Amino acid sequence: MPVLQSNLDTQSESFRGNVTDMREALGVLQGLCDEAAEGGGPQAMARLAKRNKMPLRERISLILDRDSPFLEISPFAAWRSSYKVGAGFVLGIGVVNDVECVIQGHDPSVRAGAFNPFNTKKLMRGLEIARENRLPLIQLVESAGGDLRGGSGGGDPEAALQRELAHFAESGRLFYEITELSKIRIPTISVVFGSSTAGGAYQPGMSDYNIFIKQQSKVFLGGPPLVKMATGEDADEEALGGAEMHTQISGLGDYLAVDERDAIRICREVVGHLNWRKFGPEPDGDFEEPKYDPEDLLGMVSQDLRTPFDMRDVIARIVDGSYFEEFKSQYGPTLICGWAKVHGYPVGVLGNNGALFPESSEKAAQFIQLCNQIDVPLVFLHNITGFIVGTDYEQAGITKNGSKMINAVSNSTVPHISIITAASYGAGNYGMSGRAFGPRFTYIWPFSKIAVMGPKQMAGVMSIVGRMAAERRGERFDEEADAQRAARVEYWAEERSKGLFATSRVSDDGMIDPRDTRTVIAMSLSACCNNKIEGTKEFGTWR
């Protein structure tokens, strides 16, 4: 394959400014990571230590193979909400006894590991990742069940109950998902580290393997207070749901550990006997690092997303040896398509260099079909304002060809990995396999924005519609009130479109350092290859 030639000027004033801005943004993200790692705070952590309990992240680090990486999913969930950053839940993919596993668990230092709307989304995403990619699931269980206090930790009990009921149906789905994993021969393992009530009890109840800790694990549908209210019985915790009772009498527990480290040892042994084999292709181990320095990715994107950049410069810094076989380079040039490898895994790459025109949309549809014919996963690099609009473009077939592209994305069966590097607006997000189209993984860069359209465009469209409505009614249009309304719309649209807000609502799998893009794609591809990679030649009707 030819080597991509990068023309990026790393000495320019704009590049240096972008680097400075990006480093500042990454500093903010590091602060949020540190905040999430603190869990419920120093006092809560001290209470755990007093009970001889390890913090959740320490438990995970001991389960993982030594010096192996952990790909954390949605670490900034619940940012700018009344819940803790991270939502009191850790989710990610790591290697245990040479087996890639989904590992997830409630943080007992945050409201006793209670369920809330944000960590429920993370938990369900973990189950989805395990199912789609055929990854064994390890659950570190310690949860008080639903958080009846709501987001504020107090306040109006009626409002808290309404919030709890709002996500009740979604959280209940976890029981179905865990049992379905077992049905399709994806192992599920629960390590119970403490008291697990109600929904927390059903996690081990539905799992294939259960590991309990002596004098520490407690599992019951209703704890002593609920039993007292429901039946009048004054129940003893150990007799009601203790580790020894469940391993000796009820049979819910399969293994009895003497302490947390012993439970982790047993968990690793269980994974070791699974006889796990990856169904997907092995990567080519003989690969080269990119010819260009990944550090350059820090200066690629401006905070002003209207500033263009060449997506080939990004590709040259994330693919093996910077080798890239471009497809139809002269046709539909606002979309780059081509073949490459990432850490030895073959991929088809689609990257935006402008809006999607009829020609670039048609090219994308053909390229996606070709990759499906040869079972090659697709990597989508977003910087897209949308499909082009206007009379000339409609007559040239933008709706027709854009529909071809969306048809191809929808019916493609090879794994998709989406990286939102900058803008991802409107139907352009769909055409580039946005979250709604079921990519295996979606990640975003710090300056990225995701919305129906740009904030200025949204405010402007609403003003035009309002002006036209006033004319139809024969009324005077209030320009001053419209200007104030437009300013409010633009402000809130801008705030809601920011990548950090989107990732905090678990609309992707995490905001990443641009320099880590190559590694994150490779780890995601490796996870995908636990399952068979089989493309399809079956697509919907082309117009």
Side-chain angles (χ1 to χ4, degrees), residues 240-262:
L240 182 66
E244 291 179 273
M245 187 282 291
H246 278 306
T247 52
Q248 296 173 13
I249 300 174
S250 80
L252 177 63
D254 303 312
Y255 302 88
L256 182 63
V258 296
D259 57 24
E260 293 197 3
R261 288 179 178 271
D262 191 38

Side-chain angles (χ1 to χ4, degrees), residues 281-300:
E282 290 290 326
D284 179 1
D286 185 21
F287 62 82
E288 301 176 31
E289 292 297 317
K291 304 290 186 188
Y292 302 96
D293 191 348
E295 286 285 328
D296 297 342
L297 294 171
L298 293 179
M300 206 71 68

